[in-house]
Structures are given as structure tokens and as C-alpha cells.
Amino acid sequence: MTRQLEYSCAGTDLGKWFRSSLKDSKDGLVILDADLILYFVYEYKIKALMLVEEKSRGDTIHTAQGMTLPIITKALSLGADGAGISFWGLHILRMENTTPDNSQWMTWDGIEKDCETIKKYLNFEMKP
């Protein structure tokens, strides 16, 4: 069985079934729920793409994500380059609470940042 969800309302029924019925990540199987916390941010006017992994309530990257996200990042980087898109990488936004506005602290790739800087990154006004 894979790592338990940290919040009882988190995940879908299928995701919960995956966790209780399939191999564990220590056995080689990693399934990421990319629709709820992994954001694909695309600025079509400048053809730039980045991924942002949301870690709210002080959560961190866990083993399975740490092994899988770099693979996804590399594949997207190669594909973006071939499509003429500037890939700005995968970034981890970790927050004390659930948004930059309601968090007293937040980090971007492990470095403490303020809300305005996060907005500039996400608006492609400043490269992380």
C-alpha cells in the first residue's frame, strides 16, 4: 500500500483505490495526481511553459514525487524545445497555508520568497 493521504478529504475514490490496491512506490510504481496540485503554466504570447507543484500547509515533496517529477521535467523540456517553446522548468511552491495571500511564509524551490515575487514568476515577468 502506498503512503496514506494526509487529509481525509484529499484525493478521488480512484486515487484512494490506487493507494490501497496497487504496488507501493518502494516496489517501483509511482502514480501522480497531476490535476490537483501540479500546474502547467503556459504564457502563449511568449511561448513559455513551466510546471508548479503546490505544497500547501507546509507539505513537502515525498519519495515517489522526487523520483518521478524530474523525469516528467526532462521529457517536457525536450518536447518543448522541439516545439519552439521556452521551458522554464518545474518549481515547488511550498506555503504555510493554502495560498500566497493567506500564508505567512512560502518558498519557491526551497528559497523563501514574498507574494509579489511569486506573482512575477507565475506571470512570466521574472525568470525563477
Side-chain angles (χ1 to χ4, degrees):
M1 180 160 62
T2 61
R3 182 178 63 84
Q4 292 300 306
L5 292 172
E6 295 184 24
Y7 302 99
S8 60
C9 62
T12 65
D13 288 344
L14 179 59
K16 291 173 185 173
W17 180 86
F18 286 163
R19 289 175 182 278
S20 66
S21 303
L22 303 179
K23 290 191 309 186
D24 194 348
S25 57
K26 69 177 172 43
D27 297 320
L29 182 66
V30 175
I31 300 172
L32 299 180
D33 179 9
D35 66 330
L36 296 178
I37 55 174
L38 179 62
Y39 295 91
F40 290 74
V41 184
Y42 181 63
E43 187 5 298
Y44 63 87
K45 292 181 181 178
I46 63 170
K47 293 186 176 183
L49 173 71
M50 77 172 103
L51 276 65
V52 178
E53 171 71 11
E54 169 193 333
K55 288 298 180 187
S56 61
R57 295 182 178 93
D59 197 7
T60 60
I61 294 290
H62 297 278
T63 303
Q65 287 178 316
M67 293 184 322
T68 307
L69 289 174
I71 295 166
I72 294 168
T73 301
K74 181 68 172 180
L76 283 173
S77 177
L78 294 170
D81 187 48
I85 295 169
S86 176
F87 185 62
W88 286 31
L90 165 72
H91 304 282
I92 311 303
L93 176 58
R94 187 169 177 248
M95 301 167 288
E96 174 213 17
N97 215 336
T98 58
T99 71
D101 287 335
N102 69 14
S103 295
Q104 291 185 5
W105 61 264
M106 70 201 83
T107 63
W108 182 271
D109 297 336
I111 300 169
E112 194 162 331
K113 300 291 179 182
D114 62 24
C115 187
E116 290 306 311
T117 301
I118 299 296
K119 286 180 185 179
K120 286 179 182 177
Y121 289 163
L122 293 170
N123 282 320
F124 292 89
E125 295 170 356
M126 184 166 66
K127 199 160 189 173

